[in-house]
Amino acid sequence: MRLADSGKTLGRKLSSALGDSLLAATIAFALFSLVLGLRTVDSATGLALEPRPALLATVVAIVFFGRLALNLFVWQTDYPLTRPFAKLFTLEPFETRDEVTLALAFALGVLGVAAGVLFQETLYGLLGTLMLAFIGIGLLRRAIVRTFPNLPYTQVFVAGGILFALFFPIVSYALESAFNLGLPLRYWFDLSILILTYVMLGWGLNIVVGLAGLLDLGYVAFYAVGAYTFALLATHFGLGFWIGLPIAGAAAALWGIILGFPVLRLRGDYLAIVTLAFGEIVRIILLNWTEVTGGPNGIAGIPKPTFFGLPFSPFAEGTTFSGFFGIHYDGLHALIFLYYVILVLALVTNLVTLRLRRLPVGRAWEAMREDEIACRSLGINTTLTKLSAFATGAMFGGLAGCFFATRQGFVSPESFTFIESAIILAIVVLGGMGSQLGVAIAAIVMVGGFEALRHTAGLQAIFGQEFDPALYRMLLFGLAMVAIMIWRPRGLVSSRAPTISLGDASAISGDLVRQGRG
């Protein structure tokens, strides 16, 4: 939102921009004075507050000058500097000043990459790479759309993403084995598995929130039920992953139905409060029922999945995966297998969700989301509709929890706190409620963005040597959510394809449907 009023003369514009920037800096000072301006430290007498005026002043200065630049060069000018960058993703012809602006941005990107290489500053290299990638993708898109104007670009994008996900581990592993490039494959595979897990959780919660319109703040409870169900079955009864997987999903679905009955008459904020309480109740039970769950110590020794009975271990009894295929043992084989397991589970979740949307139960979910009273007037049983939504979403959460347990080999209540539910819900909301593609993109951006904060040591040159970006992940996460809600209030993907249609179906803009969902 812009508070400054653009004036007719340069003096009025400058005065208005300065006043608006000063107000924004004052608000930033009030908000961050306790969060960033003070820090608790250990002392001989206990905890003490240590002031950090330099960090606070740096943040306030960034807000002031950033707001001033937006006012002068974007909001209160006849030629906003953001215009050529927006034109990159349209077919609108470039003007001479657009080309000059893009050329300068390209030059800055090259300088950033060069500075990152010369001075070993990760931040400069990252910013330069992002600038060059943004311009390159925009120009490539313009060229493709101009050459092939009638291609189904959404389908091409989805197919390309699936193909990349399918061949990424095999190709990267083959390249590393052949050329010894020094690629951090273990880190890449671990991060990919984590992203796919959140994609699956987001798609599961999207059934409850995005399709049925039931605000669930305790989705992590079903995640925990699936994880602990498999952990207990594996450690006490010796069941393997492939047998425990459907049992964990069924157990989570049962708890989804159990949660659904008390909330049949609730909606909105009251429904959110009850589901939040359910998530906390499950966590507290796991924490205190030490005879069964191990309490805060959790459950260890959870077995890994096998490839048709072949374990990924050099010391296992019997035939191992590497011994059966006559290849040298490599710990990355197990990671690649886990990657494909969660990829298949996520794709099954997506496929089942898309099929259910076209069935009567899926159309009933969407009808109930839009107007529950009208839904009842059409003769739809809202009781069964709500219970089916809770059970289906919970089942996929339980399947993801089972995979989480076998992936980690250990589960404890600390892994299933409210913040996990908040992150999964944020993925659904930011991606666009009801949009499968949007949820996947949001999961990649959020989880990958959190991880990127571990590699921003260059920020210390701005905020001081004691600045640790990882400590402010949730603060930056909150700021990112506010930004998305301002500029993309209907989510990253706001258009929707109709569930059913007469003739050819075309996407519907989010502006034409309630809350951007259709």
Side-chain angles (χ1 to χ4, degrees):
M1 182 177 65
R2 187 176 67 212
L3 300 180
D5 181 21
S6 58
K8 302 253 182 220
T9 64
L10 179 61
R12 289 189 59 187
K13 288 183 179 180
L14 182 59
S15 175
S16 178
L18 286 173
D20 179 60
S21 303
L22 184 59
L23 177 60
T26 303
I27 295 174
F29 177 81
L31 290 176
F32 298 134
S33 57
L34 296 179
V35 178
L36 300 178
L38 297 174
R39 180 179 65 173
T40 56
V41 294
D42 292 327
S43 64
T45 57
L47 290 178
L49 291 177
E50 176 185 336
R52 295 187 292 181
L55 178 60
L56 181 60
T58 302
V59 172
V60 172
I62 290 175
V63 172
F64 177 80
F65 289 107
R67 188 80 175 187
L68 183 62
L70 287 174
N71 276 304
L72 294 179
F73 302 111
V74 179
W75 294 332
Q76 298 189 41
T77 179
D78 296 331
Y79 178 73
L81 288 182
T82 55
R83 181 181 298 173
F85 299 98
K87 287 183 178 180
L88 281 173
F89 296 91
T90 67
L91 293 179
E92 188 177 351
F94 287 127
E95 302 175 11
T96 303
R97 52 186 177 179
D98 296 333
E99 296 174 352
V100 172
T101 302
L102 291 175
L104 290 175
F106 183 83
L108 287 176
V110 173
L111 289 176
V113 173
V117 174
L118 293 176
F119 302 108
Q120 298 296 317
E121 287 290 347
T122 307
L123 177 62
Y124 300 147
L126 178 62
L127 293 178
T129 303
L130 290 177
M131 178 67 73
L132 296 177
F134 183 83
I135 296 175
I137 292 173
L139 293 175
L140 178 63
R141 181 187 180 278
R142 283 177 65 93
I144 294 176
V145 174
R146 191 180 297 276
T147 308
F148 307 101
N150 297 320
L151 279 180
Y153 290 101
T154 302
Q155 290 82 350
V156 171
F157 179 78
V158 172
I162 293 175
L163 289 176
F164 175 81
L166 287 173
F167 292 103
F168 158 69
I170 295 178
V171 172
S172 58
Y173 182 77
L175 290 175
E176 177 62 24
S177 300
F179 303 105
N180 294 321
L181 301 176
L183 301 176
L185 294 185
R186 180 171 294 276
Y187 171 74
W188 285 359
F189 294 159
D190 279 330
L191 180 59
S192 301
I193 290 171
L194 181 63
I195 291 175
L196 286 174
T197 303
Y198 276 97
V199 169
M200 182 177 177
L201 289 170
W203 280 340
L205 183 58
N206 196 33
I207 295 175
V208 184
V209 178
L211 298 183
L214 303 171
L215 183 56
D216 188 354
L217 294 181
Y219 190 71
V220 73
F222 308 123
Y223 189 36
V225 168
Y228 270 87
T229 297
F230 172 65
L232 293 172
L233 291 175
T235 55
H236 292 284
F237 301 99
L239 295 184
F241 171 76
W242 298 110
I243 298 178
L245 182 66
I247 298 176
L254 175 62
W255 278 100
I257 296 174
I258 293 174
L259 171 63
F261 273 110
V263 301
L264 288 176
R265 297 182 180 274
L266 300 178
R267 66 181 70 179
D269 299 338
Y270 303 101
L271 174 63
I273 292 172
V274 172
T275 55
L276 172 62
F278 175 75
E280 286 300 297
I281 289 171
V282 170
R283 186 185 65 84
I284 292 173
I285 290 175
L286 296 177
L287 189 63
N288 292 280
W289 198 5
T290 55
E291 295 83 1
V292 176
T293 65
N297 296 323
I299 301 176
I302 303 173
K304 302 290 185 182
T306 60
F307 181 78
F308 294 99
L310 300 176
F312 293 87
S313 173
F315 310 111
E317 297 180 0
T319 306
T320 63
F321 177 84
S322 56
F324 181 82
F325 289 98
I327 58 178
H328 177 70
Y329 170 77
D330 191 339
L332 291 177
H333 294 163
L335 272 181
I336 295 174
F337 178 67
L338 286 171
Y339 172 90
Y340 280 110
V341 169
I342 188 59
L343 177 62
V344 170
L345 290 176
L347 292 178
V348 168
T349 302
N350 182 48
L351 179 62
V352 171
T353 303
L354 293 177
R355 295 301 181 187
L356 286 177
R357 286 191 64 180
R358 290 167 172 79
L359 294 177
V361 64
R363 297 199 293 273
W365 289 341
E366 294 181 315
M368 183 178 65
R369 176 195 65 199
E370 299 302 326
D371 194 325
E372 186 174 342
I373 296 177
C375 182
R376 290 178 180 175
S377 68
L378 294 174
I380 297 176
N381 189 330
T382 56
T383 298
L384 293 180
T385 303
K386 288 184 178 181
L387 292 180
S388 63
F390 273 115
T392 307
M395 178 187 68
F396 292 123
L399 296 178
C402 179
F403 175 82
F404 173 80
T406 192
R407 166 72 183 90
Q408 298 294 114
F410 169 79
V411 292
S412 66
E414 288 75 16
S415 300
F416 309 103
T417 57
F418 168 71
I419 193 61
E420 292 296 320
S421 288
I423 291 175
I424 300 169
L425 180 62
I427 289 173
V428 174
V429 174
L430 297 183
M433 289 189 288
S435 171
Q436 298 292 94
L437 177 60
V439 168
I441 295 175
I444 295 172
V445 171
M446 287 192 58
V447 179
F450 275 9
E451 189 63 26
L453 291 178
R454 301 180 187 272
H455 307 282
T456 52
L459 289 174
Q460 294 178 349
I462 302 174
F463 298 106
Q465 292 298 320
E466 296 182 355
F467 181 76
D468 183 5
L471 298 177
Y472 302 100
R473 289 194 305 164
M474 298 313 298
L475 175 61
L476 297 176
F477 164 63
L479 294 176
M481 288 193 64
V482 172
I484 288 291
M485 290 298 100
I486 292 175
W487 284 294
R488 300 286 296 181
R490 302 181 189 276
L492 296 175
V493 179
S494 58
S495 61
R496 301 290 180 269
T499 302
I500 56 174
S501 63
L502 295 175
D504 296 333
S506 58
I508 302 174
S509 171
D511 297 330
L512 302 179
V513 293
R514 181 183 177 188
Q515 297 182 6
R517 303 168 298 179

